[in-house]
Amino acid sequence: MNLAARTGTIAASPTSGSRNRARALARSGVQVINLAAGELDRLPPEIVLDALRALPGDVNRYTDTAGIPELRKAIARQMMARTGSDCASEDIVVTSGAKQALFLTAMALFGSGDEVLVPSPAWGTLSAQIALSGAHAVPVDVSASRFLPDISQLERHRTAATRGLLLNSPNNPTGIVYPGHVIEQIARWAGEHDLWIVFDECYADLVFPPNVHYHPVQVWPESVTRVVTVGSFSKSFAVTGWRVGWLAGPPQLIRAAKALQSHLTSNAPSVLQHALLPAAQGAADEFVADSVRVQHARLAVAEQELAGTPHVRWQRPDGTFYLWLDCREVLGRAHGAVRLGNDLVLSDQLLEKAQVACVAGSAFGAPGFLRLSLTVGESHLRKGLSDLKEFFSHVE
Ligand code: PLP
């Protein structure tokens, strides 16, 4: 099967679709409260912008395929601090966003006939990229276990064709952070069955205290030979449009990822690698701490506004900037003359009648849920959520 045939079976990212629809409405003059965007609503750290402005003209050349050495070194240091395990510049490949890191990983590790377990709900791109590699993404529904995967669920879905699993903590869309003991059990289990763990920790910095983010190698050091870590500057430093991420992993994976990257993009954009160096070296940590404080406060506002909303429930997120609303109870009911047959109709109606944009749960393999991004200022957040509450109060 060629790539055109594969992509024919893969729809464009629904999260991008919701974002684009909300933006188009806003451009046409409709006042939309956009809770669909998976990004912070602030400028990047001043120190990063200063670094960008101060760049000399001679950062115009191709960089090393795996990225500029200083940036890889800074990322490796962070990895060591996070995991307590050795990590060198040679273990890092800087990519055009975590999306590309995940793609390189899928292409390097998986292929036709392979199965890869994906705890679900999950960010849709994960399964789409596994499909692009020719492998089959096997969803493992974790909504009945407080959105935490456990090894009995994973074991039920494991077959002779299972090659790996994809873990995303802190999680998009649920905002749940996997506790250390959960990650440890999974890492041990993956070791017993010789499975790769692709660990997407793009939201690692956005964790609300007292919750703590854990990495598989930190809780089960033996897993170091089978874990591929995927990280990003996007969410931590409000640079989603810059497209810089990375992967870290064992030598055979790094070799394959570099070979693929050398044919795809050559390297992540040179200018942005240089500009993000201070952030990778920890000089923008206060910016991150501030985002965490702001998002934590917005979560409190959101929970206050949504309290008492009929037909919806949620589990408090431990981090990220998402709120994952369980609206399964409204499916099949009516809002005015419209039957809310599924979550796509529900999110369309919310946009049309309440001018609130959010992403339908189907985009994450979970029909009947909505993902709200709490990344608007307090007055907009209050207005959007009170309009949403009003909408739900008219569901019959
Ligand atoms: N992984 C997860 C779980 C995400 O939610 C996203 C973006 O929404 C990404 C990866 C991609 O991040 P990047 O902007 O670095 O490509």
Side-chain angles (χ1 to χ4, degrees), residues 38 96-99 102 123 168 172 200 202-203 232 234-235 240 243-245 322:
S96 297
K99 254 188 186 169
L102 286 160
W123 182 56
N168 167 218
N172 174 13
D200 175 341
C202 287
Y203 298 86
S232 178
S234 288
K235 315 287 177 175
T240 40
R243 317 303 307 123
V244 188
Y322 301 120

mmCIF file of all heavy atoms in Angstrom, residues 38 96-99 102 123 168 172 200 202-203 232 234-235 240 243-245 322, ligand 1:
data_model
loop_
_atom_site.group_PDB
_atom_site.id
_atom_site.type_symbol
_atom_site.label_atom_id
_atom_site.label_comp_id
_atom_site.label_asym_id
_atom_site.label_seq_id
_atom_site.Cartn_x
_atom_site.Cartn_y
_atom_site.Cartn_z
ATOM 1 N N GLY A 38 -5.295 23.900 21.363
ATOM 2 C CA GLY A 38 -4.408 23.170 22.279
ATOM 3 C C GLY A 38 -3.112 23.930 22.503
ATOM 4 O O GLY A 38 -2.023 23.391 22.289
ATOM 5 N N SER A 96 11.040 18.728 14.052
ATOM 6 C CA SER A 96 10.091 19.820 13.788
ATOM 7 C C SER A 96 8.805 19.536 14.557
ATOM 8 O O SER A 96 7.799 19.094 13.999
ATOM 9 C CB SER A 96 9.820 19.925 12.294
ATOM 10 O OG SER A 96 11.015 20.257 11.631
ATOM 11 N N GLY A 97 8.846 19.756 15.849
ATOM 12 C CA GLY A 97 7.697 19.484 16.713
ATOM 13 C C GLY A 97 7.713 18.040 17.192
ATOM 14 O O GLY A 97 8.356 17.157 16.576
ATOM 15 N N ALA A 98 7.000 17.808 18.300
ATOM 16 C CA ALA A 98 6.862 16.442 18.801
ATOM 17 C C ALA A 98 6.132 15.578 17.780
ATOM 18 O O ALA A 98 6.336 14.369 17.702
ATOM 19 C CB ALA A 98 6.110 16.441 20.124
ATOM 20 N N LYS A 99 5.281 16.216 16.989
ATOM 21 C CA LYS A 99 4.565 15.455 15.956
ATOM 22 C C LYS A 99 5.553 14.722 15.065
ATOM 23 O O LYS A 99 5.382 13.549 14.762
ATOM 24 C CB LYS A 99 3.734 16.407 15.099
ATOM 25 C CG LYS A 99 2.259 16.335 15.382
ATOM 26 C CD LYS A 99 1.443 17.145 14.401
ATOM 27 C CE LYS A 99 0.002 17.095 14.885
ATOM 28 N NZ LYS A 99 -0.892 18.016 14.212
ATOM 29 N N LEU A 102 7.238 11.856 16.914
ATOM 30 C CA LEU A 102 6.367 10.671 17.011
ATOM 31 C C LEU A 102 6.307 9.940 15.675
ATOM 32 O O LEU A 102 6.284 8.705 15.622
ATOM 33 C CB LEU A 102 4.959 11.104 17.439
ATOM 34 C CG LEU A 102 4.837 11.496 18.914
ATOM 35 C CD1 LEU A 102 3.586 12.349 19.144
ATOM 36 C CD2 LEU A 102 4.780 10.244 19.795
ATOM 37 N N TRP A 123 -4.969 11.427 22.002
ATOM 38 C CA TRP A 123 -4.792 12.426 20.945
ATOM 39 C C TRP A 123 -4.714 11.691 19.604
ATOM 40 O O TRP A 123 -3.906 10.759 19.447
ATOM 41 C CB TRP A 123 -3.511 13.196 21.250
ATOM 42 C CG TRP A 123 -3.168 14.287 20.322
ATOM 43 C CD1 TRP A 123 -3.946 15.370 19.981
ATOM 44 C CD2 TRP A 123 -1.937 14.443 19.614
ATOM 45 N NE1 TRP A 123 -3.259 16.182 19.122
ATOM 46 C CE2 TRP A 123 -2.025 15.642 18.879
ATOM 47 C CE3 TRP A 123 -0.755 13.705 19.552
ATOM 48 C CZ2 TRP A 123 -1.002 16.106 18.085
ATOM 49 C CZ3 TRP A 123 0.269 14.166 18.764
ATOM 50 C CH2 TRP A 123 0.141 15.359 18.038
ATOM 51 N N ASN A 168 0.924 8.537 27.100
ATOM 52 C CA ASN A 168 0.960 10.002 27.072
ATOM 53 C C ASN A 168 0.543 10.529 28.440
ATOM 54 O O ASN A 168 -0.621 10.476 28.798
ATOM 55 C CB ASN A 168 0.023 10.506 25.953
ATOM 56 C CG ASN A 168 -0.259 11.993 26.034
ATOM 57 O OD1 ASN A 168 -1.380 12.423 25.778
ATOM 58 N ND2 ASN A 168 0.725 12.780 26.379
ATOM 59 N N ASN A 172 -3.322 14.298 27.037
ATOM 60 C CA ASN A 172 -4.270 15.018 26.198
ATOM 61 C C ASN A 172 -5.214 13.963 25.652
ATOM 62 O O ASN A 172 -4.738 13.046 24.998
ATOM 63 C CB ASN A 172 -3.516 15.710 25.039
ATOM 64 C CG ASN A 172 -4.452 16.363 24.052
ATOM 65 O OD1 ASN A 172 -5.634 16.527 24.311
ATOM 66 N ND2 ASN A 172 -3.910 16.746 22.902
ATOM 67 N N ASP A 200 5.128 9.858 25.442
ATOM 68 C CA ASP A 200 4.903 11.237 24.998
ATOM 69 C C ASP A 200 4.660 12.097 26.236
ATOM 70 O O ASP A 200 3.627 12.005 26.878
ATOM 71 C CB ASP A 200 3.694 11.237 24.049
ATOM 72 C CG ASP A 200 3.283 12.633 23.609
ATOM 73 O OD1 ASP A 200 3.655 13.616 24.272
ATOM 74 O OD2 ASP A 200 2.551 12.731 22.609
ATOM 75 N N CYS A 202 4.836 15.590 26.300
ATOM 76 C CA CYS A 202 4.829 16.979 25.814
ATOM 77 C C CYS A 202 4.296 17.968 26.846
ATOM 78 O O CYS A 202 4.575 19.155 26.767
ATOM 79 C CB CYS A 202 3.973 17.085 24.563
ATOM 80 S SG CYS A 202 4.785 16.358 23.176
ATOM 81 N N TYR A 203 3.494 17.468 27.787
ATOM 82 C CA TYR A 203 2.913 18.373 28.793
ATOM 83 C C TYR A 203 3.612 18.208 30.145
ATOM 84 O O TYR A 203 3.063 18.586 31.178
ATOM 85 C CB TYR A 203 1.410 18.100 28.947
ATOM 86 C CG TYR A 203 0.610 18.337 27.679
ATOM 87 C CD1 TYR A 203 0.476 17.333 26.724
ATOM 88 C CD2 TYR A 203 0.015 19.565 27.426
ATOM 89 C CE1 TYR A 203 -0.239 17.542 25.555
ATOM 90 C CE2 TYR A 203 -0.705 19.787 26.262
ATOM 91 C CZ TYR A 203 -0.826 18.776 25.332
ATOM 92 O OH TYR A 203 -1.537 18.997 24.175
ATOM 93 N N SER A 232 8.550 18.306 23.799
ATOM 94 C CA SER A 232 8.237 19.452 22.940
ATOM 95 C C SER A 232 8.476 20.763 23.658
ATOM 96 O O SER A 232 8.325 20.840 24.872
ATOM 97 C CB SER A 232 6.762 19.368 22.541
ATOM 98 O OG SER A 232 6.417 20.479 21.758
ATOM 99 N N SER A 234 6.634 23.248 22.485
ATOM 100 C CA SER A 234 5.379 23.904 22.100
ATOM 101 C C SER A 234 4.547 24.369 23.268
ATOM 102 O O SER A 234 4.153 25.536 23.352
ATOM 103 C CB SER A 234 4.514 22.927 21.291
ATOM 104 O OG SER A 234 5.039 22.715 20.020
ATOM 105 N N LYS A 235 4.234 23.425 24.167
ATOM 106 C CA LYS A 235 3.231 23.704 25.198
ATOM 107 C C LYS A 235 3.865 24.449 26.371
ATOM 108 O O LYS A 235 3.246 25.317 26.962
ATOM 109 C CB LYS A 235 2.596 22.398 25.687
ATOM 110 C CG LYS A 235 2.211 21.424 24.573
ATOM 111 C CD LYS A 235 0.991 21.864 23.796
ATOM 112 C CE LYS A 235 0.704 20.900 22.655
ATOM 113 N NZ LYS A 235 -0.524 21.193 21.928
ATOM 114 N N THR A 240 3.850 26.910 19.935
ATOM 115 C CA THR A 240 3.266 25.827 19.137
ATOM 116 C C THR A 240 3.536 26.005 17.639
ATOM 117 O O THR A 240 3.758 25.035 16.930
ATOM 118 C CB THR A 240 1.743 25.745 19.376
ATOM 119 O OG1 THR A 240 1.231 27.069 19.444
ATOM 120 C CG2 THR A 240 1.409 25.017 20.656
ATOM 121 N N ARG A 243 7.249 24.905 15.966
ATOM 122 C CA ARG A 243 7.477 23.520 15.578
ATOM 123 C C ARG A 243 8.873 23.020 15.961
ATOM 124 O O ARG A 243 9.700 22.700 15.101
ATOM 125 C CB ARG A 243 7.262 23.307 14.043
ATOM 126 C CG ARG A 243 6.062 23.988 13.414
ATOM 127 C CD ARG A 243 4.736 23.619 14.061
ATOM 128 N NE ARG A 243 4.561 22.197 14.123
ATOM 129 C CZ ARG A 243 4.347 21.535 15.270
ATOM 130 N NH1 ARG A 243 4.259 22.173 16.426
ATOM 131 N NH2 ARG A 243 4.193 20.250 15.255
ATOM 132 N N VAL A 244 9.117 22.941 17.251
ATOM 133 C CA VAL A 244 10.367 22.321 17.708
ATOM 134 C C VAL A 244 10.068 21.328 18.839
ATOM 135 O O VAL A 244 9.431 21.692 19.841
ATOM 136 C CB VAL A 244 11.417 23.357 18.188
ATOM 137 C CG1 VAL A 244 12.761 22.657 18.456
ATOM 138 C CG2 VAL A 244 11.623 24.472 17.156
ATOM 139 N N GLY A 245 10.480 20.110 18.634
ATOM 140 C CA GLY A 245 10.328 19.062 19.636
ATOM 141 C C GLY A 245 11.563 18.179 19.598
ATOM 142 O O GLY A 245 12.564 18.522 18.965
ATOM 143 N N TYR A 322 -6.373 21.264 29.780
ATOM 144 C CA TYR A 322 -7.622 20.720 29.253
ATOM 145 C C TYR A 322 -8.593 20.349 30.367
ATOM 146 O O TYR A 322 -8.188 20.031 31.487
ATOM 147 C CB TYR A 322 -7.341 19.452 28.431
ATOM 148 C CG TYR A 322 -6.401 19.691 27.276
ATOM 149 C CD1 TYR A 322 -5.184 19.015 27.176
ATOM 150 C CD2 TYR A 322 -6.730 20.612 26.279
ATOM 151 C CE1 TYR A 322 -4.327 19.242 26.110
ATOM 152 C CE2 TYR A 322 -5.868 20.838 25.204
ATOM 153 C CZ TYR A 322 -4.676 20.157 25.136
ATOM 154 O OH TYR A 322 -3.831 20.392 24.080
HETATM 155 N N1 PLP B 1 1.679 14.976 21.800
HETATM 156 C C1 PLP B 1 0.509 15.361 22.343
HETATM 157 C C2 PLP B 1 -0.128 14.487 23.365
HETATM 158 C C3 PLP B 1 -0.099 16.550 21.939
HETATM 159 O O1 PLP B 1 -1.248 16.913 22.487
HETATM 160 C C4 PLP B 1 0.521 17.343 20.963
HETATM 161 C C5 PLP B 1 -0.100 18.571 20.466
HETATM 162 O O2 PLP B 1 -1.247 18.859 20.707
HETATM 163 C C6 PLP B 1 1.737 16.909 20.447
HETATM 164 C C7 PLP B 1 2.284 15.714 20.872
HETATM 165 C C8 PLP B 1 2.451 17.677 19.373
HETATM 166 O O3 PLP B 1 3.242 18.701 19.860
HETATM 167 P P1 PLP B 1 4.130 19.572 18.875
HETATM 168 O O4 PLP B 1 3.477 20.917 18.782
HETATM 169 O O5 PLP B 1 5.471 19.633 19.523
HETATM 170 O O6 PLP B 1 4.179 18.886 17.562
#
